[in-house]
Structure formats: C-alpha cells, structure tokens
Amino acid sequence: TPPPHPQPVAVCSMATDCQPKRAASAYFLWLGANRAEIAKSLGTGKGSEVSKKAGELWKAVSAQERAPWEAEAKALKVEHDRRVSLFKAQGGVVTKKRKGAREPKQTKDPNKPKKPAGGAYGCWLSKNRDDIVKSLPLGHKVTDVTKVAGERWKRMLASEKKPFEDEYAKNLADYHTAMEAYKAEQNNLDDLEEMARPTKKAKKAGA
C-alpha cells in the first residue's frame, strides 16, 4: 500500500525565509550515535539524565576516538558555510539569536527524510557495534565501545574503509534526492491549500 499522504508542515516560501541552522558539533554527532546505549545503561531515556551522563562520557573520550566525529563535524561546517553564503546571496540576512531567547518549538514531521550522520565510520560502526559489544566484558562502559571501535577503525586499510565510504556517499545522495521530493511535495500541499482558501469575492458573495 502507498505511504500515507504527509500532513502539511511549515516550510520556507522563499530562500530568505530560512536561515541555515548551525552545523552539529562532534559531540552531538557522537551523542546521536550513542544516545540509545547511554539511555539503556541508565535505565531511563530522560533527556536531562542522558545529557548529563553523555557529557561525563564525552570528557573521557580520547582524541583518537573523537577524530572521526570531528572530521564529520568539520565537513558539516563547510557545508553550513556554503549554505550561509547562498542564503546571503539570495538576499537573506543572518541574525544572531539573543541570549536566553527561545524559538517556538516546531513539530517534527515524521515524513521528513533524516540526514545520515557519522560518515563512513558511522556506517561501519552500525554494522560492527554488536560484535564489539559482545567482545567486551559484562558491565563495560559506553566509552569502552567507542574506544575499541576507534582503534579498529584506525587500523583498517583504505581499501577496507572504501565500501563504507561508498555506502555513506550513497546514503547522502539518497537523502538529497529524498529531500528534493519532500520539498516539492510540501510546495504542492501549500499550493493546494492556497487554492482551497475562499477569495474575497467568494466571501462577499456568500455573506
């Protein structure tokens, strides 16, 4: 059966309406890949507790283990800067968020494609995490997994990393394709919504 028709969500009507969001840091990329395991080890998914524990664990992550995440964050920063330049070229004005000011919380659209994160290392880790966990003693820490994973990844030959680099490149290309289709669908929904609105003449006639 075809997927349910996505519900209309707020989208940018013009390029200048949406300032590019800040690129994710190495920490947040790492957290995205480890949040589920941290929550499992704590026995709760409560945001404040997971964030507190994650911060403690991140401090213990070595420079070597952080390297893949920092590389991915750097690539995202380059892409962010490119998008900001395009945003400005199209007439957009970059505004800084005031300290303490909160943006209205937007409802997440479950139909919106999710951008792949973690790079080639993330693809490799997702396929090897279970084996790494099994190789560790009971009661191991979350950082033990990332430590072993980082060491194994560093020892891998370029030829061994190539399939995962290709996989990530394909995932990223698929994401961009899906996003184009998603944006087009949202624009179509906006057009239909606009057409469905009664005109001023129609309102007067019905009055």
Side-chain angles (χ1 to χ4, degrees):
T1 59
H5 201 63
Q7 295 297 312
V9 295
V11 295
C12 305
S13 58
M14 294 178 62
T16 55
D17 289 339
C18 286
Q19 179 176 317
K21 290 185 178 180
R22 191 175 181 180
S25 66
Y27 167 71
F28 281 107
L29 292 172
W30 170 85
L31 178 58
N34 291 278
R35 182 185 292 276
E37 192 168 342
I38 294 172
K40 184 178 178 182
S41 70
L42 291 172
T44 177
K46 188 176 179 181
S48 58
E49 293 187 27
V50 172
S51 297
K52 181 180 178 182
K53 186 63 176 178
E56 295 172 356
L57 294 173
W58 178 249
K59 288 180 181 179
V61 176
S62 68
Q64 177 184 325
E65 294 160 18
R66 293 186 184 196
W69 306 107
E70 290 172 345
E72 174 68 7
K74 186 176 180 180
L76 291 175
K77 179 65 166 58
V78 171
E79 172 62 15
H80 170 264
D81 291 344
R82 184 192 69 79
R83 292 179 63 191
V84 168
S85 296
L86 180 61
F87 174 73
K88 289 179 178 178
Q90 293 176 330
V93 178
V94 176
T95 58
K96 290 186 178 181
K97 187 178 177 182
R98 288 185 303 171
K99 191 174 182 180
R102 290 188 178 183
E103 294 179 356
K105 190 173 182 180
Q106 295 182 349
T107 303
K108 289 185 178 180
D109 180 9
N111 298 294
K112 186 176 182 179
K114 188 176 181 180
K115 188 174 184 178
Y121 171 75
C123 293
W124 172 83
L125 181 59
S126 67
K127 289 181 173 60
N128 292 275
R129 183 187 290 276
D130 289 344
D131 289 338
I132 294 173
V133 170
K134 289 176 183 177
S135 71
L136 296 171
L138 291 175
H140 66 270
K141 299 177 182 178
V142 174
T143 49
D144 293 335
V145 177
T146 54
K147 181 179 180 181
V148 172
E151 291 171 350
R152 291 187 184 182
W153 177 256
K154 189 176 181 180
R155 290 198 301 267
M156 288 173 62
L157 301 174
S159 58
E160 295 174 320
K161 293 181 179 181
K162 184 67 165 56
F164 300 102
E165 291 169 349
D166 292 342
E167 180 182 345
Y168 178 71
K170 182 181 183 302
N171 290 343
L172 197 58
D174 290 345
Y175 162 77
H176 287 306
T177 299
M179 275 302 297
E180 288 299 320
Y182 172 81
K183 289 177 181 178
E185 180 67 22
Q186 298 309 308
N187 288 335
N188 287 338
L189 288 172
D190 284 348
D191 291 342
L192 289 172
E193 193 176 74
E194 184 65 29
M195 291 171 63
R197 289 175 184 167
T199 63
K200 290 182 179 180
K201 290 183 178 179
K203 286 182 179 179
K204 288 182 180 179

